[in-house]
Amino acid sequence: MTTDSLALDHVLGTYWSHFVEIGGAGFRVSYTLVMVDPDAPNPSSPTLREYLHWMVTDIPATTDASFVITRRSQIATISGREIVRYESPQPAMGIHRLAFVLYQQHSRQMAFVPLMRENFCTSNFAHQHNLGSPVAAAYFNCQRESGSGGRRFRQAKWDSEGPFKPLHLLNPSRISFIRSTLCRHFRRDPYSARPLEGLKIIDVGCGGGILSESTDNHEIPVVKTMSCKPLARLGAAVTGIDAVEKNIKIARIHAASDPLTASIEYCCTTAEELVRLNKQFDATIALEVIEHVADPSDFCRSLGALTAPGGATVISTINRTLRAYATAIVTAEHILNWLPKGTHEWSKFLTPEELVMILRRASFSVEEMAGFFYDPLTGEWSLSDDISVNYIAFGVKQAF
């Protein structure tokens, strides 16, 4: 390992340990390790940001062996000086990021114990102690254990009455919009059995594959049934990508169970990685994804690079309005429990005007936009002119 490498492991059991391996030039080089939660007490309102979970200083580097920072039962064996005792993360709601940051020290015994764990600032701490920039960092996601068990979690995305119910309810209307706009743009017969035959489409952030291959079991008139059929069943050559490997495994299992969807290519990767591989598609789809990414502009530029000239993109997201806050966060997460608490951050929602501008900079021209209306009496969604909460946009990439 090199001096800027950091390997972390966590072992659960009667005896638990935290292993930190740091390679380097020898005993004379020391490091400070900081573990913080930037999402405390919850991602939607991180008023305790950053919460300090652990700090160890004077960790010696080694040439050929790893020093181990451990705590077993009540007996601590620490290579280094633990100045803030480890506190196990116990997030009450939402998905929290737990970050490990490693600094190289200029001398030993140089750090003072912080007064409080709450509202700790890693960058200020580094500045005060002349630590400079981090030499390594790592993080993992953590959320409250639901107690439902692994098997039930794996099936949750495919349970139409489970925690992902909103995605199932929205899917027919979303597919209807995608089907009509793509057929019109690519001059396909919308009433044919497989109107998207021959088109290469990528579903970015596909999750468990609900959009890419979900099943339509509604006994309704044939035209409406056709408009609700998902992308693979409409004849498209579909690629679904997601950065979470578990989601891809779930999607592959369900796709393999049906001959009509077995051809879908699921990959655990990112849009940025496919751009580096010079991949291109006739259409890019990103539904309820952009409000979760760190930089919407960079994300749309990646979509633009993945879309062939003259191709199309479809993006759905949530408007940044008070009504959207009341509906998507207060109602959906806290009252109806449709989504896990902390799923959305209101500040990350995009207004339609902002999305149009971002897409224009990514070489897309937005040609159509629609909202979604939920009827509580029927429990169904339909397309609407009201874009104050959920909305979906269709854009065309410039043909060079």
Side-chain angles (χ1 to χ4, degrees), residues 222 285 319 391:
V222 66
I285 313 292
N319 200 345
Y391 67 96

Side-chain angles (χ1 to χ4, degrees), residues 216-271:
D216 176 23
N217 293 319
H218 299 289
E219 295 181 0
I220 48 182
V222 66
V223 174
K224 188 174 181 182
T225 302
M226 291 295 292
S227 69
C228 293
K229 285 186 177 292
L231 302 177
R233 296 175 180 272
L234 293 175
V238 179
T239 298
I241 66 170
D242 198 279
V244 180
E245 186 175 1
K246 182 181 291 185
N247 288 344
I248 293 299
K249 290 180 179 180
I250 295 170
R252 285 172 177 165
I253 291 172
H254 285 273
S257 65
D258 187 335
L260 293 178
T261 61
S263 62
I264 297 176
E265 182 181 2
Y266 284 113
C267 303
C268 182
T269 187
T270 63

Side-chain angles (χ1 to χ4, degrees), residues 183-200:
C183 284
R184 184 164 56 252
H185 176 69
F186 291 105
R187 299 184 178 182
R188 301 299 181 90
D189 179 6
Y191 301 106
S192 66
R194 295 168 64 84
L196 304 183
E197 189 85 53
L199 293 180
K200 293 173 58 180

